[in-house]
PDB file of all heavy atoms in Angstrom:
ATOM      1  N   PHE X  85      59.945  17.719 140.409  1.00 90.00           N
ATOM      2  CA  PHE X  85      60.309  18.673 141.476  1.00 90.00           C
ATOM      3  C   PHE X  85      61.681  19.239 141.224  1.00 90.00           C
ATOM      4  O   PHE X  85      62.629  18.514 140.832  1.00 90.00           O
ATOM      5  CB  PHE X  85      60.262  17.982 142.832  1.00 90.00           C
ATOM      6  CG  PHE X  85      58.893  17.782 143.367  1.00 90.00           C
ATOM      7  CD1 PHE X  85      58.199  16.604 143.098  1.00 90.00           C
ATOM      8  CD2 PHE X  85      58.254  18.764 144.098  1.00 90.00           C
ATOM      9  CE1 PHE X  85      56.931  16.407 143.578  1.00 90.00           C
ATOM     10  CE2 PHE X  85      56.984  18.584 144.576  1.00 90.00           C
ATOM     11  CZ  PHE X  85      56.301  17.390 144.314  1.00 90.00           C
ATOM     12  N   GLY X 116      61.103  20.480 151.856  1.00 83.00           N
ATOM     13  CA  GLY X 116      62.307  20.215 151.117  1.00 83.00           C
ATOM     14  C   GLY X 116      62.283  18.835 150.508  1.00 83.00           C
ATOM     15  O   GLY X 116      61.244  18.166 150.487  1.00 83.00           O
ATOM     16  N   ILE X 117      63.453  18.378 150.033  1.00 82.00           N
ATOM     17  CA  ILE X 117      63.582  17.050 149.438  1.00 82.00           C
ATOM     18  C   ILE X 117      64.658  16.256 150.174  1.00 82.00           C
ATOM     19  O   ILE X 117      65.799  16.692 150.269  1.00 82.00           O
ATOM     20  CB  ILE X 117      63.929  17.157 147.946  1.00 82.00           C
ATOM     21  CG1 ILE X 117      62.768  17.856 147.192  1.00 82.00           C
ATOM     22  CG2 ILE X 117      64.145  15.775 147.335  1.00 82.00           C
ATOM     23  CD1 ILE X 117      63.046  18.032 145.729  1.00 82.00           C
ATOM     24  N   ASP X 118      64.265  15.106 150.671  1.00 75.00           N
ATOM     25  CA  ASP X 118      65.196  14.168 151.338  1.00 75.00           C
ATOM     26  C   ASP X 118      65.955  14.833 152.485  1.00 75.00           C
ATOM     27  O   ASP X 118      67.137  14.629 152.646  1.00 75.00           O
ATOM     28  CB  ASP X 118      66.175  13.609 150.297  1.00 75.00           C
ATOM     29  CG  ASP X 118      66.717  12.245 150.696  1.00 75.00           C
ATOM     30  OD1 ASP X 118      66.082  11.610 151.577  1.00 75.00           O
ATOM     31  OD2 ASP X 118      67.731  11.822 150.157  1.00 75.00           O
ATOM     32  N   PHE X 128      59.852  17.198 154.891  1.00 82.00           N
ATOM     33  CA  PHE X 128      60.609  16.922 153.694  1.00 82.00           C
ATOM     34  C   PHE X 128      60.036  15.752 152.930  1.00 82.00           C
ATOM     35  O   PHE X 128      59.409  14.837 153.478  1.00 82.00           O
ATOM     36  CB  PHE X 128      62.083  16.678 153.975  1.00 82.00           C
ATOM     37  CG  PHE X 128      62.377  15.459 154.808  1.00 82.00           C
ATOM     38  CD1 PHE X 128      62.597  14.241 154.216  1.00 82.00           C
ATOM     39  CD2 PHE X 128      62.429  15.555 156.188  1.00 82.00           C
ATOM     40  CE1 PHE X 128      62.870  13.100 154.991  1.00 82.00           C
ATOM     41  CE2 PHE X 128      62.676  14.422 156.989  1.00 82.00           C
ATOM     42  CZ  PHE X 128      62.912  13.225 156.379  1.00 82.00           C
ATOM     43  N   MET X 129      60.199  15.799 151.605  1.00 83.00           N
ATOM     44  CA  MET X 129      59.718  14.749 150.720  1.00 83.00           C
ATOM     45  C   MET X 129      60.751  13.630 150.677  1.00 83.00           C
ATOM     46  O   MET X 129      61.944  13.865 150.617  1.00 83.00           O
ATOM     47  CB  MET X 129      59.554  15.351 149.326  1.00 83.00           C
ATOM     48  CG  MET X 129      59.288  14.350 148.231  1.00 83.00           C
ATOM     49  SD  MET X 129      59.139  15.188 146.629  1.00 83.00           S
ATOM     50  CE  MET X 129      59.434  13.819 145.521  1.00 83.00           C
ATOM     51  N   VAL X 130      60.268  12.385 150.754  1.00 81.00           N
ATOM     52  CA  VAL X 130      61.137  11.218 150.673  1.00 81.00           C
ATOM     53  C   VAL X 130      61.561  11.031 149.210  1.00 81.00           C
ATOM     54  O   VAL X 130      60.742  10.712 148.365  1.00 81.00           O
ATOM     55  CB  VAL X 130      60.442   9.946 151.192  1.00 81.00           C
ATOM     56  CG1 VAL X 130      61.383   8.747 151.154  1.00 81.00           C
ATOM     57  CG2 VAL X 130      59.946  10.185 152.615  1.00 81.00           C
ATOM     58  N   ASP X 131      62.830  11.276 148.921  1.00 74.00           N
ATOM     59  CA  ASP X 131      63.318  11.284 147.543  1.00 74.00           C
ATOM     60  C   ASP X 131      63.149   9.912 146.876  1.00 74.00           C
ATOM     61  O   ASP X 131      63.431   8.886 147.486  1.00 74.00           O
ATOM     62  CB  ASP X 131      64.805  11.673 147.563  1.00 74.00           C
ATOM     63  CG  ASP X 131      65.305  12.028 146.160  1.00 74.00           C
ATOM     64  OD1 ASP X 131      64.500  12.211 145.291  1.00 74.00           O
ATOM     65  OD2 ASP X 131      66.554  12.099 146.014  1.00 74.00           O
ATOM     66  N   ILE X 145      53.407  11.278 146.336  1.00 90.00           N
ATOM     67  CA  ILE X 145      54.684  11.319 147.007  1.00 90.00           C
ATOM     68  C   ILE X 145      54.459  11.101 148.505  1.00 90.00           C
ATOM     69  O   ILE X 145      53.349  11.230 149.004  1.00 90.00           O
ATOM     70  CB  ILE X 145      55.424  12.645 146.792  1.00 90.00           C
ATOM     71  CG1 ILE X 145      54.573  13.807 147.306  1.00 90.00           C
ATOM     72  CG2 ILE X 145      55.734  12.839 145.305  1.00 90.00           C
ATOM     73  CD1 ILE X 145      55.258  15.150 147.242  1.00 90.00           C
ATOM     74  N   LEU X 146      55.530  10.780 149.193  1.00 89.00           N
ATOM     75  CA  LEU X 146      55.497  10.613 150.670  1.00 89.00           C
ATOM     76  C   LEU X 146      56.272  11.720 151.329  1.00 89.00           C
ATOM     77  O   LEU X 146      57.364  12.112 150.872  1.00 89.00           O
ATOM     78  CB  LEU X 146      56.096   9.266 151.090  1.00 89.00           C
ATOM     79  CG  LEU X 146      55.312   8.006 150.807  1.00 89.00           C
ATOM     80  CD1 LEU X 146      56.050   6.789 151.373  1.00 89.00           C
ATOM     81  CD2 LEU X 146      53.921   8.075 151.387  1.00 89.00           C
TER      82      LEU X 146
END
Side-chain angles (χ1 to χ4, degrees):
F85 283 92
I117 297 179
D118 206 18
F128 63 90
M129 171 182 160
V130 182
D131 194 14
I145 60 175
L146 287 183

